[in-house]
Amino acid sequence: MSGRAEECFAGTAAAPGVGVGPGLIVRGDHEFVRRRLIEPSQISEELERLQIALLKTREEILQAKAELVRGWSQASDSLFEAHLLAVEDPTILEAVRRRLESEKICVEAVYQDVIRSFVEQMQRIDDAYLRERALDVRDVGKRVLRNLRGDENAGFCLDKPGVVVADALLLSDLVSLDRRLLLGLVTEEGSQTCHAAILAQSLNIPAVVGVHDILDQIEDQTEVLVDGFAGVVILRPSEERKAQAQAEQARFVALTRAAREKRGPAVTADGQQMRISANVELPEDLPLIRENGADGVGLYRTEFLFLRSERGPSEEEQLAVYREAAEWAKPHHLVIRTLDVGGDKLLPWLVMRPLERNPFLGFRGIRLSLQRQQIFRTQLRAILRASSQGNVALMFPMVTDVSEFRRARELLVQVRQELVEEGHELGEVSCGVMIETPAAALMADLLAEEADFFSIGTNDLEQYTLAVDRLNAQVSSLYPTPHTAVLRLIQGVVAEARKRGRPVSICGEMASNLALLPFFVAIGVEELSMGSVLIPRVKTAVRRIRAADAREGVNTALLRKEAPEVLERLNRLAEHFYPELLAP
Ligand code: PEP
Ligand code: MG
């Protein structure tokens, strides 16, 4: 195999850096299970292990039911029932016993095979009810496997350094992996703004997404080079290719190091200041925000905390995490976003029933929080208690109407009152709104009268404005980023907010796009929030801009009619200010 020539695949650069290593293939409904041979005398021991794992799973489901059933609809009750039935299904257990005897491999591998074939059979039957039950069996199967392997091995598991090449990755895999062993990440699906890409960036793992059909061409252990700068993946890279890519990596590291050394605020050459803050997904990211000179945390995505937990973190657990984040963000602010599950961030214990056909247009963000008030109140209590640190703000995701913002803030006021009565010491908390639906952008004037600040979530604003699914690699490459329609919406939102003295930040992936920086400076955005590794470069770029020139150049660019022409003009403007920062 090593004699074969290198093969090159183009995708979308999702997280900067270069990684080289043996490819580890991950397909579809995977769980890594080693097929360990056993002696006939070990069969009863293996069955006993399975019984213990089943009991544990049963307890977990009952506990989740007890904790969450309050305030839930009857549909959630039937979800738990369906899961309990799947745990206890005698046909599954009998099939496992038979195969253990005939194949003599460990119970994890047997159980996984049995669940897979059950799910496949059920999905083949033309019956909507059974197809849905197949999903219950699969979910429960995963839980049982985790319990069989012990919590420390739960989820994604790498036992040696490698590059993961997957069709799509579950966020729950990524949040639980050992990042020291993950040299790079390649997925067939996804775009730059899918959450697996965002997480790879925050974990500092080079990533390329949207690489079509690579799984057909790769075998396990084939050497893979991931070039997260150029968005390219090479199978069996030549020595020369590796040396080139590593030189690129060294250049990026040197540039970042040099930029980091110049600390302090980002101010344009003619004196316009911009706050460059960090997006944080996991508590482990926090030391990086100081290292990279972030001006605080502009977006704390709390759902990753929930994804890591079996049933959702308690108030005390959340409080500890938010307090720690507030501490790290000082002397700047920490903006905590309330839970934004849904879309591509699904919590196994918080699944919508009936299953949503189009989760990105379903119960996401504030919609879900307003419906599942128990979860929302617990989170608000934790955020408010963390506010005693003095630098905490919060914001609500996926708002589409003033009424939603008012209802959410009303709950915040109630929760604050409760906490005061309980004797807690609380700080001031400004309450903002994310502008990430076209509806919110079009009602920015009204929302600005209610909210203390805006944070524009360009990832969703772009997907909903252009009707481009952020997970769909094929369609996301059809349009250039930025598209003029989105730029116009952003311009309008900033203008409305400024009229009322409300600060605006940008927290989607566009915030770190150097081609757009002159645009953000020109329209007067106060803050850009991004993956911390990108901050030093963006700060350097801000210092090279003259705001007056940026305004002139941007006005000319926006006169072009076609979006690719506007993009080309903006690129030229960026090249004028900082050509050396743009080379990949
Ligand atoms: C966004 O939509 O731009 C955003 C920042 O939120 P998320 O990427 O988590 O949806
Ligand atoms: Mg969003």
Side-chain angles (χ1 to χ4, degrees):
M1 191 168 67
S2 55
R4 282 171 61 192
E6 55 174 45
E7 225 172 322
C8 182
F9 293 81
T12 304
V18 169
V20 186
L24 179 75
I25 298 174
V26 178
R27 278 178 207 273
D29 190 17
H30 63 86
E31 280 286 330
F32 291 103
V33 167
R34 215 169 290 292
R35 301 180 87 76
R36 180 170 48 83
L37 290 176
I38 56 165
E39 297 296 328
S41 60
Q42 289 176 300
I43 292 177
S44 57
E45 211 177 286
E46 291 293 280
L47 277 171
E48 203 173 309
R49 286 180 53 227
L50 178 62
Q51 286 300 348
I52 293 171
L54 290 172
L55 272 178
K56 182 151 194 274
T57 309
R58 191 183 141 76
E59 263 168 37
E60 284 169 2
I61 297 171
L62 286 173
Q63 204 173 338
K65 179 176 167 179
E67 277 178 25
L68 290 168
V69 98
R70 273 167 285 137
W72 280 44
S73 64
Q74 287 224 310
S76 59
D77 228 0
S78 61
L79 159 70
F80 290 120
E81 290 309 323
H83 278 198
L84 284 174
L85 281 175
V87 176
E88 285 153 6
D89 193 325
T91 351
I92 294 178
L93 294 184
E94 181 50 26
V96 171
R97 199 184 53 74
R98 265 189 277 114
R99 286 176 74 153
L100 262 181
E101 280 167 3
S102 61
E103 294 177 22
K104 302 200 185 50
I105 49 173
C106 63
V107 72
E108 287 91 335
V110 167
Y111 186 77
Q112 186 183 45
D113 289 349
V114 168
I115 291 290
R116 263 196 198 142
S117 69
F118 259 70
V119 169
E120 274 167 24
Q121 280 168 29
M122 288 164 89
Q123 280 174 332
R124 273 200 293 269
I125 300 171
D126 188 19
D127 178 299
Y129 171 75
L130 277 182
R131 277 202 304 272
E132 203 162 288
R133 276 228 45 219
L135 295 181
D136 295 327
V137 172
R138 197 181 62 188
D139 281 4
V140 166
K142 281 190 173 177
R143 263 179 191 272
V144 173
L145 269 180
R146 280 179 189 187
N147 285 332
L148 259 175
R149 295 188 313 198
D151 275 339
E152 63 281 21
N153 293 326
F156 201 93
C157 121
L158 281 171
D159 56 3
K160 61 180 178 51
V163 172
V164 166
V165 184
D167 42 7
L169 266 185
L170 294 178
L171 285 176
S172 46
D173 293 328
L174 273 178
V175 290
S176 50
L177 59 82
D178 181 349
R179 71 172 79 175
R180 286 163 306 181
L181 298 178
L182 188 60
L183 302 176
L185 187 63
V186 178
T187 61
E188 287 193 329
E189 289 177 16
S191 70
Q192 200 184 21
T193 60
C194 70
H195 285 95
I198 289 170
L199 196 58
Q201 195 186 85
S202 86
L203 296 170
N204 217 353
I205 296 162
V208 179
V209 297
V211 187
H212 301 306
D213 302 328
I214 190 167
L215 285 173
D216 293 340
Q217 307 299 328
I218 182 175
E219 288 158 30
D220 223 13
Q221 302 302 312
T222 304
E223 189 172 42
V224 184
L225 184 154
V226 187
D227 181 343
F229 300 114
V232 167
V233 180
I234 318 276
L235 302 187
R236 298 173 291 278
S238 64
E239 289 308 313
E240 193 188 345
R241 176 84 70 168
K242 283 193 250 179
Q244 267 170 8
Q246 263 136 14
E248 197 53 65
Q249 166 84 354
R251 210 178 76 84
F252 178 77
V253 170
L255 222 148
T256 307
R257 194 173 300 133
R260 268 187 194 159
E261 271 159 23
K262 178 145 177 38
R263 304 193 81 81
V267 185
T268 64
D270 50 353
Q272 184 173 317
Q273 185 159 342
M274 215 178 204
R275 199 158 49 206
I276 311 295
S277 55
N279 290 352
V280 173
E281 279 74 49
L282 298 168
E284 302 95 278
D285 300 342
L286 291 167
L288 275 183
I289 71 176
R290 289 220 185 127
E291 217 172 283
N292 287 306
D295 304 324
V297 175
L299 166 65
Y300 195 108
R301 287 184 164 100
T302 55
E303 46 282 358
F304 291 89
L305 193 63
F306 285 70
L307 267 167
R308 268 191 173 173
S309 133
E310 284 283 313
R311 285 174 292 279
S314 66
E315 179 179 326
E316 296 302 323
E317 282 164 345
Q318 290 187 60
L319 174 62
V321 170
Y322 302 154
R323 263 197 191 139
E324 190 196 0
E327 200 56 60
W328 276 101
K330 281 178 185 171
H332 306 284
H333 67 191
L334 161 72
V335 182
I336 301 178
R337 175 175 77 183
T338 59
L339 188 62
D340 182 22
V341 285
D344 62 342
K345 292 172 289 190
L346 297 176
L347 300 180
W349 48 270
L350 193 58
V351 176
M352 295 310 297
R353 295 283 153 155
L355 289 178
E356 296 181 303
R357 275 178 198 278
N358 196 339
F360 272 114
L361 301 180
F363 266 93
R364 268 194 79 182
I366 198 68
R367 302 171 182 179
L368 194 127
S369 293
L370 289 173
Q371 221 202 29
R372 307 282 193 261
Q373 290 198 4
Q374 200 58 40
I375 300 169
F376 192 37
R377 279 176 172 274
T378 305
Q379 182 170 40
L380 293 178
R381 282 180 63 92
I383 297 173
L384 284 175
R385 286 176 64 193
S387 71
S388 59
Q389 296 276 351
N391 61 339
V392 174
L394 66 75
M395 62 185 179
F396 305 124
M398 284 296 292
V399 166
T400 48
D401 189 49
V402 172
S403 62
E404 283 168 329
F405 180 79
R406 285 186 174 161
R407 282 170 64 204
R409 203 186 35 198
E410 176 68 42
L411 277 170
L412 182 70
V413 171
Q414 282 175 20
V415 167
R416 172 179 275 277
Q417 186 57 34
E418 271 167 34
L419 287 167
V420 169
E421 279 163 20
E422 288 168 27
H424 292 285
E425 208 179 291
L426 311 178
E428 278 307 309
V429 177
S430 48
C431 180
V433 60
M434 282 195 75
I435 305 289
E436 52 182 348
T437 62
L442 293 168
M443 304 216 291
D445 54 338
L446 303 178
L447 283 165
E449 276 164 19
E450 310 270 329
D452 297 323
F453 63 92
F454 284 171
S455 183
I456 306 183
T458 54
N459 302 336
D460 280 314
L461 189 59
E462 196 170 39
Q463 98 162 326
Y464 296 126
T465 306
L466 301 178
V468 167
D469 177 352
R470 60 196 275 193
L471 299 185
N472 183 335
Q474 277 172 349
V475 77
S476 67
S477 56
L478 288 183
Y479 299 95
T481 286
H483 189 285
T484 324
V486 181
L487 297 186
R488 284 187 177 196
L489 281 178
I490 296 175
Q491 221 174 356
V493 170
V494 174
E496 293 300 339
R498 283 168 68 99
K499 265 190 227 161
R500 293 162 184 82
R502 304 293 189 223
V504 183
S505 85
I506 309 281
C507 65
E509 300 316 289
M510 274 191 189
S512 58
N513 182 338
L514 289 186
L516 282 181
L517 192 53
F519 169 75
F520 293 136
V521 168
I523 65 173
V525 168
E526 282 97 341
E527 176 176 353
L528 299 174
S529 191
M530 61 195 70
S532 20
V533 57
L534 304 165
I535 290 174
R537 201 159 56 131
V538 172
K539 280 198 167 185
T540 306
V542 172
R543 293 175 186 129
R544 299 260 205 286
I545 293 178
R546 270 182 52 82
D549 295 350
R551 279 191 287 276
E552 200 184 309
V554 165
N555 286 341
T556 319
L558 288 178
L559 291 176
R560 309 307 304 173
K561 289 201 175 130
E562 292 190 18
E565 292 175 331
V566 175
L567 177 59
E568 199 214 307
R569 295 289 165 128
L570 291 178
N571 270 323
R572 266 198 248 157
L573 191 57
E575 261 163 36
H576 162 74
F577 290 125
Y578 32 78
E580 79 288 6
L581 298 178
L582 292 174

